[in-house]
Amino acid sequence: MPVRVQAEDFDAGAEILALRRGNPKIGALASFIGLVRDVNNGEPVTGMTLEHYPGMTEKALENIVSEAQSRWDVLDALVIHRVGLLLPTDQIVLVVVSSAHRGDAFAACEFIMDYLKTRAPFWKKEQTAQGTRWVEARETDDRSAERWEKMSPASAAHRPR
Amino acid sequence: MLKLLYFARLRESLGTDSEAVELAPSVRDVAGLMDWLRTRGGSWSEELAPGRTVRVSVNLEMAEATTPVRDGDEVALFPPVTGG
């Protein structure tokens, strides 16, 4: 299963090893880890709670990974996203993509994160000294996702190798 | 019956995370469902006001205003997502 939603922390090294072990076709592996910061919009953040839509979340993430696999030469991909209470420095999300060459791995990894930020049903509620507040969606995230829509799968496949 | 789910800010301001509703005959799509829910007034008409950004999914897929809504569907209403 390339997609996991869990409260538990993850070990990126162990996950990467499990994904690449024994596959000599892999020449490149790109990974991304998102972390909880202690500040947002200039205000100190003491923690956050991640809510999601069980059932739809997994389906949305699987669709995003499938879309990445249809656009680039991806050998394997993994997405782990945590839910529940998280504190500053905690890991939130892991994306790992393996490919024959780095261009496909880099692009697919970034694409998965950009689409996850705008299409997967997760919501963050931050804790601050003033109380809790729901994080507002950012327009910059929409624009990051939109740039892939303008790029046809054919042109996207011709990234540097 | 239609299963309605609410998440995040909407769940809190509407005071419920789910409900089963008998669909009014006038409701055929997502836009119709939103119009119908607005007639409840109070926080419903506020949160679902046309200017507010509310995302809707039908049977676990992101939906648009014209997406059909039928008896037995699972429809969720939520704010724009903020994961990652």
Side-chain angles (χ1 to χ4, degrees):
Chain A
M1 208 47 191
V3 161
R4 285 178 358 228
V5 179
Q6 61 188 45
E8 302 75 40
D9 197 10
F10 52 79
D11 178 344
E15 297 295 345
I16 288 170
L17 184 61
L19 188 121
R20 71 177 180 84
R21 179 175 277 151
N23 188 346
K25 294 189 169 27
I26 297 175
L29 200 146
S31 65
F32 172 87
I33 297 174
L35 305 163
V36 182
R37 290 180 304 148
D38 66 357
V39 64
N40 190 21
N41 295 330
E43 273 192 82
V45 172
T46 55
M48 63 168 59
T49 305
L50 258 296
E51 177 175 331
H52 78 121
Y53 180 177
M56 181 173 172
T57 315
E58 293 81 355
K59 193 173 181 185
L61 293 175
E62 284 165 14
N63 287 345
I64 292 166
V65 170
S66 297
E67 177 75 24
Q69 285 170 326
S70 73
R71 289 181 179 224
W72 294 280
D73 288 331
V74 171
L75 289 168
D76 216 343
L78 169 71
V79 179
I80 300 176
H81 201 298
R82 294 179 68 194
V83 291
L85 178 64
L86 298 173
L87 303 175
T89 74
D90 279 353
Q91 304 186 109
I92 307 173
V93 59
L94 171 69
V95 177
V96 184
V97 176
S98 66
S99 182
H101 304 281
R102 73 181 186 283
D104 291 291
F106 275 134
C109 187
E110 192 172 19
F111 169 88
I112 288 170
M113 267 315 296
D114 284 346
Y115 267 36
L116 182 156
K117 300 262 321 176
T118 54
R119 298 180 181 206
F122 293 100
W123 301 274
K124 285 179 184 145
K125 190 177 199 182
E126 289 176 342
Q127 295 168 359
T128 71
Q130 283 73 44
T132 60
R133 63 182 183 196
W134 290 101
V135 174
E136 297 284 330
R138 290 173 200 262
E139 263 184 54
T140 50
D141 287 336
D142 285 331
R143 283 200 294 276
S144 293
E146 278 164 14
R147 70 202 162 106
W148 300 104
E149 280 156 38
K150 292 180 191 123
M151 197 185 293
S152 72
S155 70
H158 289 102
R159 298 261 307 194
R161 296 193 154 194
Chain B
M1 298 292 275
L2 187 81
K3 188 178 179 188
L4 273 170
L5 302 174
Y6 308 98
F7 289 96
R9 191 196 72 236
L10 281 176
R11 172 177 53 76
E12 290 185 347
S13 52
L14 298 175
T16 181
D17 61 0
S18 69
E19 62 177 317
V21 295
E22 201 72 56
L23 266 189
S26 61
V27 176
R28 293 192 177 83
D29 56 20
V30 167
L33 177 67
M34 300 286 270
D35 287 341
W36 182 65
L37 288 172
R38 269 182 220 116
T39 64
R40 290 174 166 181
S43 51
W44 295 87
S45 52
E46 272 170 43
E47 284 291 346
L48 309 182
R52 303 296 296 268
T53 307
V54 176
R55 304 276 193 247
V56 181
S57 69
V58 176
N59 299 327
L60 309 181
E61 299 276 3
M62 289 304 296
E64 294 170 7
T66 54
T67 303
V69 170
R70 298 185 188 87
D71 206 40
D73 284 348
E74 177 174 305
V75 178
L77 277 62
F78 44 80
V81 303
T82 55

